[in-house]
Every structure is written in C-alpha cells, then in structure tokens.
Amino acid sequence: MRVAPTTTTMWRSPAAPACLLVAAVLLSAVAAAAGAEYVKYKDPKKPIGERVDDLLSRMTLAEKIGQMSQIERANATSAVIEKYFVGSVLSGGGSVPSEKATAKEWQQMVAKMQKAALKTRLGIPIIYGIDAVHGHNNVHNATIFPHNVGLGATRDPKLVKRIGQSTAHEARATGIPYTFAPCVAVCRDPRWGRCYESYSEDTKLVQLMTSAMVPGLQGDAPARHPKGTPFVAGEMNVAGCAKHFVGDGGTRNGINENNTVLNFHDLMRIHMPPYDDAVIKGIASVMISYSSWNGVKMHENRFLITDILKNKLKFRGFVITDWQAVDRITTPPHKHYYHSIQETIHAGIDMVMIPYDYPEFVADLTSQVSNGSIKMDRINDAVSRILRVKFAMGLFENPLPDPRLVGELGDKEHRQIAREAVRKSLVLLKNGKSGEKPVLPLSKKAGKILVAGSHAHNLGFQCGGWTVSWQGQGGNNVTAGTTILEAINAAVDKSTVIDYTEHPDKSSIAENAKEYDYAVLVVGEEPYAETEGDNLNLTIPSPGPEVIKDVCGLVKCVVVLVSGRPLVVEPYIGAMDAFVAAWLPGTEGHGVADVLFGDHGFTGKLPRTWFKSVDQLPMNFGDKHYNPLFPFGFGLTTKPSHSQS
C-alpha cells in the first residue's frame, strides 16, 4: 500500500518535552508580533485536555449543541452548517454525492462542507461519518471484503487488522475520516437480520476480531496509552465506532430492535466484553443499539451508558445514537420528542444522529438547557468528548481531504487482501459421500462442467446488504468485482467447456449428465439489511432447493451456499457430494475458485453453530441441549493441490 505523510501522534502526556514548550513560546511570540491573538486550542503542541478546555470555554450554547448534532449529507448545505454550527455529517446507506461518484467527487463534497464549518466563528471542523462495515461499502468501485461472519470463520486476527487498514485507506481516499465500524455484536440467533454483521456467536472470538479491527482502522495506540482515551494514529487512519451497545445480538427470536431478556451477569458475560476490548484499544466512539434490555430502551439506559460504559469501562470518547433513534424510544416514533431528547441526553448520549429533524432537535435541546431541565454540565461533558476525538484525529490541523489519496480506492493490494480473506473464510462442511473419495479440490482440466444457481454470476448477491445501497441489490453493475462464475472460468483449463444456467432444466440435465465431469451449484440468500433480513424459517430461497434436487444425483455436485448465516440444509445434504459455506464473500470471487480448485486449501472453521432445524433456535455452543448438524468450530481441511489432472 502506498504510504502518505502522517500526522504526529496526537495524544501527549501532561508533561510536554522542553522543546515543545519552547516551540509554544515561539509560536506565541510570532503570533503577537503579527498582531494576532494566540489561541491555545489551535496549538497542536498543547495537550489535548488543555485544548478541549480552552475551546469549550469560548463556545456559546448554540455552538455546543451544534457539535452534538449529526445531520444527513443531503441536508448539509453550507448555509445549514454555518447557521447551526453543525459538528458532524453522515451518509446514510446509499446516500452518495452522485451515482457512481468517484473518490475525487466524494472529496470535493466533503471539502465543501468542511470549508463551511471552518468559516464559523471558532472554525471547528466537522467529522464526516459513514458505514464502512465490510470495506468502504457505500462507494462505487471500493473493495468489498467478506462480511464479519466470514471474517470470523478465518480465525485470523492479523488478516482482520489488514482489512481494517485497507478500509481506512479507502475511506480516506474519499475524504472521510470516521467510520461506523466495527460491529462487535455477539449474534446468538441466526434469525436476526444483522447476524452477518457479527463475527461469531462466541464472545471470545468476537473479542479477538474486535481487538484486531479497531487498531486496523485507527492505528496502534502507544504503550501505556490511558485506557478509554480515544486514539487515531494519523491521516491514513480513521476514527472507529463500536456498535451497537449493548446486547443487540441477543434479542428474543432474533428480531431486530427487539428486547434482550438477560440478567446483568449474562449481559456482562456474553455481550459486554468486546466493548471493553474496543475501549482498551482506544475506540473513538460507541453507537447505541435500537434494542432494549429487559424492557428498557438502550438509548435511555443511563445505567449501562453512563455508569458502565463511561464510568466502569472508563470510555472517554463520544457516545452516538443510531439513525433517528431518539424518535424511536417511543411508539409511535417521534411521540413526546421533547421528553425523548431529555431522556437520551440524561442517559449519556453525546452526539445525536438527527438526519432530518435537526431544527426541532436544536430548538428543543436549547429550551431544556435554558430552563434547567438539562444541566450545562451534561452538555459540556458531551461536547468535551466530541472535541477530544476531533483533536485526537488531527482534524484541526488537517481538516481537508488529501487529493493524493484518491488512488487508494479499490487499490489492487486491497483486493488481494480481500481475495485472501475470501479463501480463508470458506468452510468445507462435506467432501464426498460416505465411502467415496473426496470431491474437492476440483480438476481444472475437466472436459465439460456445469455451473448453475442464482448466485453463480451475480456480484450484488455475492456482496450482500450494505453494498453501495443500504439493503444491497442484485446484478453485475453494482460495483467493480469478479463473480464466482467469472472466477471459475479464469481458473479452469482453456479447453474446459462451461455450461452456465441459473435454473437448469432437469430433463435436459438427465439427458446430458454423462457429459459433465462435475457441477458447481451456487445458491443462497438475496441481499438484505437490518429488519428486512429477520427470518423465522431460514430456508434456502427458491430456486436454490430445486437446483440442488434437479442436479445432485444426476451429476457429481459441489454446492456453494452464499448466505449471511446458516440455513436449513439437512433435507439436501445427503444428495450433495460436497458442501461449502461461502458466507457473503464480497467483490473478489477469485477467492472462491482459489480453494475449489486447490490453489489453496480449505482452512475456515464455523463461526456459528449450524442447526438442523429452526425449532432448535436459539442454540449456541456450550448450551446444555446441543445437537447441531455441524458444531461451532467445525470445518474440514484440505491441502493445496500441486497436480491438476
């Protein structure tokens, strides 16, 4: 990867070296000679704590509330940013400057917003945030890595850290310094529509990956860095956001935004540890979950946000809401909005994601501070945390995008890392019928093969949700990448004939079965995100089952399942000659072919329990009644094939 100039590490001990003190005196003298006032918060040589205190002391209530406000890109005109002193802007899923916008166009948009912020009285830069949950996924031509469930299957924290670094570089290529990642949920029920955003059902595995991804995105904090103090290494790194606090992966029946019913001990044992790891690694922010814990909405849970996260875990970054979450602590949403603001701010929320309702939010919060129902100390705490992150990021010194970084988007080395991640994430669950030879690796020199299924040649399906758009989409024009069919075509011998069809005709297959050396059937789920993905039956969508039934038995078949979670496969597993869980591999389909054809061996292990029936759910490793189809951690291994016959 190309290395760009980086900022000096922004955290400093209170006792600054003598040379820095001399430099500060000289800076003050130069400013005085030029007739300009020396402003402490603009001095990068001062400790962050002093800069925060100095800037906070100069701010009006309107400027403080502006820092607490995060609005949607589409509303962030220069006039709005200047009028409301907006502190943060975000892109919601699919919110882009223009269709298929280039890195340069993204940079131009961010720069325009930033220049508006810098024109305000105090010149506090905005922090622009975006969901970069499996690569810089909102942006056309970005490298799309496997979703977290696939990364959990790799068991490779060094790889995950490199993915974090690559994602940070691609975000910076578009001028964006803040990502709503990583998701550190512990998904305990695959019926949950966000389960693919979780590394595993196992807390320790989620901790392992969290501890790798955070420094991948933000950089490695120095030794003896104070616990909880946000750390961002430089201009090639981004501020991260651990989400969604806390217990979102444990809701009843896996229903998104539902109620997590657990005693405090189990909440702390299962769902809290990854947040502690993120805090230790210097995470800049934490996003709160829409879900509830024992009937109390997380966004109004002062005990967990303030007493546990901020006080017990010593988190000193800022706490941010999810999208319009203040509205959604009531049913229907936005009912008693004035009161909802009070509840969430009192709970410990620092930055509020108010994409559209920012005028009402600003007016209501201003009123409540003015009448004393929300204390100024709480406002000052919130703003101090936000400013601390901005100073730690070096935003005041380097607020504008760096045009030299545009080439980092979709960088060839990032795609190679993604390809490696794909092949390490694949889990081989069956390889040959009982008493028969293994099927994998496949021969590259076959005479004729069949490739079939809805997911064999569909890049959008391969990437899943949170890809260019919020819910994701099908098709091969979504972004740049390689489908599994294209990868197979590139892997096999030039003389091999490939028949491809999404849904083969059974009678035709029967007539020509002897012509095929083998069939690769690629089936699975269509893209989804959040509540749209909640699924109580978890069956393979049609025509997947029909393709398996029609082909397997007639032709030696390898079934590759593209999905965000385990699905019901027991009725079909006997007919398969080989079965591979590919999860949601992203743009680099070559990684699938690398392993199918033996250039690399299968090494992935299940990050989740593979159930027999949904009636068993929720079922997790360590439960008393544990009777899976494939247990947590299962995965057959193969060695690279050195001869292709």
Side-chain angles (χ1 to χ4, degrees):
M1 269 168 266
R2 293 178 293 280
V3 178
T6 58
T7 57
T8 306
T9 300
M10 295 308 300
W11 176 82
R12 306 189 193 286
S13 64
C19 60
L20 295 184
L21 295 177
V22 171
V25 171
L26 290 174
L27 181 66
S28 178
V30 171
E37 178 192 0
Y38 170 73
V39 180
K40 183 184 286 187
Y41 77 84
K42 293 183 178 180
D43 184 353
K45 296 178 175 60
K46 288 294 183 183
I48 286 177
E50 291 185 22
R51 298 178 75 185
V52 169
D53 291 344
D54 180 67
L55 179 51
L56 190 69
S57 70
R58 300 168 186 268
M59 296 174 71
T60 65
L61 177 58
E63 289 165 333
K64 291 176 181 178
I65 291 176
Q67 287 302 299
M68 297 172 68
S69 305
Q70 184 181 69
I71 71 172
E72 218 286 322
R73 176 205 64 81
N75 301 317
T77 64
S78 297
V80 167
I81 290 171
E82 292 182 52
K83 177 180 178 180
Y84 290 96
F85 307 103
V86 172
S88 184
V89 178
L90 85 152
S91 276
S95 178
V96 297
S98 62
E99 187 178 2
K100 298 184 178 180
T102 64
K104 182 179 179 180
E105 289 172 315
W106 278 92
Q107 283 204 8
Q108 289 171 340
M109 178 195 71
V110 174
K112 183 178 180 181
M113 296 176 185
Q114 196 65 279
K115 289 174 181 177
L118 297 176
K119 285 172 63 178
T120 58
R121 185 177 71 93
L122 296 171
I124 305 173
I126 62 165
I127 179 173
Y128 195 109
I130 197 167
D131 287 284
V133 297
H134 62 140
H136 196 19
N137 52 262
N138 244 22
V139 178
H140 184 69
N141 285 341
T143 307
I144 304 299
F145 296 91
H147 267 295
N148 283 357
V149 64
L151 300 186
T154 71
R155 303 295 203 278
D156 190 340
K158 291 182 180 179
L159 172 64
V160 168
K161 183 176 181 179
R162 287 159 57 210
I163 290 170
Q165 292 168 336
S166 300
T167 301
H169 287 199
E170 298 210 9
R172 285 290 192 171
T174 59
I176 296 174
Y178 176 35
T179 62
F180 304 128
C183 178
V184 301
V186 182
C187 175
R188 304 290 283 178
D189 193 324
R191 293 174 290 187
W192 185 36
R194 305 195 78 150
C195 203
Y196 64 75
E197 297 183 58
S198 167
Y199 294 112
S200 178
E201 71 187 40
D202 178 61
T203 303
K204 290 183 179 179
L205 182 52
V206 176
Q207 288 181 271
L208 180 69
M209 297 309 182
T210 300
S211 294
M213 183 58 82
V214 172
L217 293 168
Q218 298 192 162
D220 289 299
R224 298 183 180 178
H225 184 74
K227 181 183 177 182
T229 301
F231 175 84
V232 181
E235 292 178 73
M236 294 297 286
N237 298 98
V238 295
C241 181
K243 64 182 188 182
H244 304 84
F245 188 86
V246 60
D248 55 337
T251 58
R252 274 187 171 174
N253 300 321
I255 297 173
N256 192 42
E257 305 178 24
N258 199 15
N259 191 24
T260 298
V261 180
L262 276 180
N263 61 43
F264 178 67
H265 173 77
D266 285 343
L267 183 76
M268 297 295 288
R269 177 179 63 87
I270 297 170
H271 298 282
M272 191 66 76
Y275 289 96
D276 194 34
D277 286 278
V279 169
I280 289 169
K281 294 294 183 180
I283 194 72
S285 65
V286 172
M287 184 182 290
I288 305 302
S289 174
Y290 288 124
S291 60
S292 304
W293 176 50
N294 294 335
V296 178
K297 290 278 189 179
M298 275 305 312
H299 277 86
E300 57 180 347
N301 197 316
R302 178 180 171 83
F303 170 67
L304 290 176
I305 296 173
T306 297
D307 295 350
I308 300 299
L309 177 62
K310 289 185 172 181
N311 295 340
K312 184 174 181 179
L313 300 189
K314 300 181 180 180
F315 175 60
R316 298 186 69 212
F318 66 83
V319 174
I320 185 170
T321 73
D322 209 329
W323 179 274
Q324 291 185 315
V326 173
D327 306 57
R328 292 162 67 169
I329 66 172
T330 59
T331 303
H334 206 75
K335 185 179 182 181
H336 307 309
Y337 187 61
Y338 187 93
H339 177 71
S340 295
I341 292 171
Q342 184 176 329
E343 289 296 306
T344 52
I345 301 302
H346 277 160
I349 299 294
D350 303 313
M351 184 180 286
V352 181
M353 197 183 289
I354 35 167
Y356 309 119
D357 298 322
Y358 53 92
E360 183 180 4
F361 169 79
V362 168
D364 286 356
L365 183 53
T366 302
S367 172
Q368 293 187 64
V369 176
S370 299
N371 67 27
S373 56
I374 293 178
K375 302 300 183 186
M376 185 59 76
D377 284 350
R378 175 75 270 275
I379 300 299
N380 287 341
D381 173 61
V383 177
S384 294
R385 290 169 174 275
I386 294 163
L387 295 177
R388 185 178 296 126
V389 170
K390 290 186 176 185
F391 283 123
M393 295 170 67
L395 267 183
F396 282 79
E397 289 67 52
N398 297 288
L400 297 175
D402 186 342
R404 295 172 296 178
L405 301 182
V406 293
E408 291 286 333
L409 186 70
D411 178 73
K412 184 179 292 186
E413 186 174 341
H414 301 164
R415 292 189 181 277
Q416 287 299 318
I417 294 170
R419 182 172 178 170
E420 178 186 348
V422 173
R423 58 180 179 249
K424 288 183 174 180
S425 69
L426 301 184
V427 181
L428 180 57
L429 297 172
K430 182 179 181 180
N431 192 16
K433 293 180 179 177
S434 179
E436 297 183 8
K437 291 182 179 180
V439 176
L440 296 168
L442 297 170
S443 171
K444 292 182 178 180
K445 296 182 179 179
K448 188 176 184 179
I449 65 176
L450 174 66
V451 179
S454 55
H455 288 57
H457 189 47
N458 195 311
L459 190 65
F461 285 5
Q462 200 172 293
C463 292
W466 292 109
T467 305
V468 179
S469 62
W470 173 39
Q471 290 292 323
Q473 56 198 296
N476 291 329
N477 296 317
V478 175
T479 191
T482 304
T483 69
I484 294 172
L485 173 66
E486 291 168 337
I488 291 173
N489 187 59
V492 298
D493 192 84
K494 291 181 180 179
S495 64
T496 300
V497 176
I498 299 176
D499 277 357
Y500 163 69
T501 176
E502 282 192 28
H503 193 173
D505 178 71
K506 184 177 182 180
S507 59
S508 177
I509 297 298
E511 290 177 11
N512 300 289
K514 293 182 180 179
E515 297 180 10
Y516 297 115
D517 290 72
Y518 53 80
V520 179
L521 311 180
V522 192
V523 300
E525 297 182 296
E526 293 190 10
Y528 56 81
E530 301 191 47
T531 303
E532 296 297 318
D534 288 353
N535 188 330
L536 296 180
N537 60 57
L538 294 181
T539 55
I540 300 174
S542 182
E546 292 85 356
V547 172
I548 295 170
K549 291 175 184 177
D550 290 349
V551 176
C552 294
L554 295 173
V555 181
K556 185 181 295 183
C557 71
V558 177
V559 176
V560 178
L561 182 66
V562 175
S563 67
R565 53 201 164 186
L567 300 178
V568 176
V569 297
E570 191 179 33
Y572 323 109
I573 194 75
M576 302 175 189
D577 292 279
F579 178 43
V580 177
W583 314 112
L584 297 168
T587 52
E588 307 312 301
H590 284 298
V592 177
D594 286 343
V595 185
L596 289 180
F597 292 97
D599 293 325
H600 295 266
F602 280 93
T603 58
K605 303 295 181 183
L606 284 181
R608 327 197 36 80
T609 297
W610 205 294
F611 56 89
K612 295 178 180 178
S613 164
V614 291
D615 295 334
Q616 296 175 296
L617 300 177
M619 177 175 62
N620 294 283
F621 174 70
D623 289 354
K624 290 182 180 179
H625 304 289
Y626 191 69
N627 183 30
L629 182 62
F630 301 107
F632 170 83
F634 180 79
L636 302 173
T637 58
T638 62
K639 294 182 178 179
S641 176
H642 300 293
S643 63
Q644 291 293 336
S645 58

